[in-house]
Amino acid sequence: MHPRRPDGFDGLGYRGGARDEQGFGGAFPARSFGSGSDLSHWVTTPPDIPGSRNLHWGEKSPPYGVPAPSTPLEGPAEEPFPGGGSGGSGGVQGQSSEQLNRFAGFGIGLASLFTENVLAHPCIVLRRQCQVNYHARHYHLTPFTVINIMYSFNKTQGPRALWKGMGSTFIVQGVTLGAEGIISEFTPLPREISHKWNPKQIGEHLLLKSLTYMVAMPFYSASLIETVQSEIIRDNTGILECVKEGIGRVMGLGVPHSKRLLPLLSLVFPTVLHGVLHYIISAAIQKFVLLILKRKTYSSHLAESTSPVQSMLDAYFPELIANFAASLCSDVILYPLETVLHRLHIQGTRTIIDNTDLGYEVLPINTQYEGMRDCINTIRQEEGMLGFYKGFGAVIIQYTLHAAVLQITKIIYSTLLQNSV
């Protein structure tokens, strides 16, 4: 379990070394209230929407009253940004271009978040239903069969069948972020890792992540039930039903469950293992992709072969691409573990899912796994190795859709910038 976006992805340069920037994230210069006082360390920057900050690679906000030094990444010295004149109509045009630049960057990040959390939700719903359907004959490993079964669900149950449980996924993300912030405030566990990290700091940071996943685990179970429960027999539950069910799972109250329900202590290890591995893989791939894109952008700027429009694009899209690659690789690598995790969470909850073979009718979940090891062995013996990848076609559709939205927003953004030049 994990937030859809990696922790370190809160806007260009926000995580890591961006905490020591002066001012509010580079949007305004930091003001000095005295000759010997420095209050910048008391100011924190709220997480930005990805791509909503107009900074180039390696660029920091200049101190108050000091002009920003020119770097090779700013392009030609005569005109670092399109329309950036020194006064008169040139200054007005530069301000208009900067406003358009920021607005477009905000829109790009918003489109990416909308795709991850809203447009991709039907793929998440079908993917989870296929994962927990242990007696399904059709594994839906390709996007073609997934599209067909999605159409059947929409035809028989309506659009709500594909967007069920979307509110609970946002609640789980909020609980995860809130728990991480509270734990980091009352413990010495670091929420972020500095550039001068050491093994102890890494261990404490991963311990913080583990405790966060443990706190959010019962709410994740409740959210999983909402996303796989068939719409045919599902009652109209409120948006806070996920919170109620999560608290009831901890207290042992609420809807009665069968004797096959695994205790929360048995779910701690697979849940924390999946969450920590997903975080480590995402962070590593994101850093690697950003490093490659940074070197490529730096080399192109040194050669002075990029246009001003391309320079603007280089300020926003590298982190979006890195986040896309990190999420894709971590989901693909950990898909078998996620299948096992979801089956353990759903067991004994008396959940009834849709028949993913036919597109209509419903099926009960009557598994009897004793734990993580038994679940792995049973899937391998009864369903084969491909049984761990049931519903994988939904992942292909999800990230194909995400890539298409990124490409469309890039084209729109390039057109706006070219018209403003």
Side-chain angles (χ1 to χ4, degrees), residues 149-388:
I149 204 68
M150 280 185 175
Y151 174 76
S152 300
F153 286 157
N154 182 76
K155 184 178 180 180
T156 57
Q157 304 179 36
R160 290 185 57 183
L162 299 177
W163 270 272
K164 55 188 175 185
M166 186 173 63
S168 64
T169 59
F170 287 105
I171 292 178
V172 173
Q173 293 183 18
V175 171
T176 303
L177 294 176
E180 181 180 349
I182 294 175
I183 295 175
S184 63
E185 287 293 332
F186 291 94
T187 63
L189 302 178
R191 192 174 185 180
E192 299 174 1
I193 301 177
S194 62
H195 290 292
K196 299 180 180 180
W197 57 269
N198 52 62
K200 180 182 178 182
Q201 188 179 26
I202 294 291
E204 292 177 346
H205 181 67
L206 294 181
L207 178 59
L208 172 64
K209 293 294 180 181
S210 302
L211 295 176
T212 301
Y213 297 139
M214 290 175 60
V215 173
M217 181 176 60
F219 305 100
Y220 182 81
S221 296
S223 175
L224 176 63
I225 294 174
E226 287 192 19
T227 54
V228 301
Q229 182 90 317
S230 177
E231 192 71 20
I232 297 177
I233 53 92
R234 182 169 177 263
D235 298 330
N236 294 325
T237 57
I239 191 173
L240 297 179
E241 189 69 19
C242 173
V243 179
K244 177 182 176 182
E245 290 293 331
I247 297 176
R249 182 73 181 270
V250 176
M251 305 297 295
L253 304 175
V255 179
H257 302 99
S258 69
K259 296 180 180 180
R260 298 185 305 272
L261 181 69
L262 294 174
L264 289 178
L265 291 178
S266 301
L267 300 175
V268 169
F269 177 73
T271 302
V272 172
L273 178 64
H274 177 267
V276 171
L277 288 179
H278 196 284
Y279 173 75
I280 293 176
I281 295 174
S282 298
I285 295 178
Q286 185 183 18
K287 294 293 183 182
F288 178 73
V289 174
L290 281 175
L291 180 62
I292 294 178
L293 295 177
K294 179 180 179 180
R295 290 182 177 179
K296 181 180 179 181
T297 304
Y298 182 76
S299 300
S300 62
H301 277 280
L302 286 181
E304 297 183 358
S305 59
T306 56
S307 62
V309 174
Q310 185 62 37
S311 299
M312 294 292 187
L313 295 177
D314 291 339
Y316 298 125
F317 279 92
E319 285 211 24
L320 294 177
I321 296 175
N323 176 54
F324 171 81
S327 299
L328 173 61
C329 293
S330 55
D331 280 353
V332 171
I333 294 174
L334 297 178
Y335 196 87
L337 180 58
E338 184 183 72
T339 299
V340 174
L341 177 66
H342 286 168
R343 292 199 181 187
L344 295 178
H345 272 277
I346 210 71
Q347 176 174 299
T349 57
R350 295 185 177 179
T351 302
I352 299 179
I353 65 172
D354 297 308
N355 190 334
T356 56
D357 288 337
L358 303 177
Y360 56 91
E361 297 182 351
V362 294
L363 297 171
I365 300 297
N366 296 321
T367 56
Q368 298 182 4
Y369 305 121
E370 297 179 359
M372 181 177 177
R373 180 179 299 179
D374 181 52
C375 182
I376 295 175
N377 294 332
T378 304
I379 294 176
R380 184 173 62 247
Q381 294 174 4
E382 298 183 0
E383 304 171 53
M385 295 303 297
L386 292 180
F388 293 97

Side-chain angles (χ1 to χ4, degrees), residues 388-416:
F388 293 97
Y389 291 91
K390 284 185 174 180
F392 188 78
V395 178
I396 301 176
I397 297 178
Q398 175 182 345
Y399 285 98
T400 300
L401 180 64
H402 193 181
V405 172
L406 285 179
Q407 186 63 28
I408 293 174
T409 53
K410 184 176 182 180
I411 294 175
I412 296 176
Y413 185 35
S414 301
T415 304
L416 292 175

Side-chain angles (χ1 to χ4, degrees), residues 74-89:
E74 294 181 357
E78 292 80 4
E79 188 177 356
F81 295 102
S86 58
S89 60

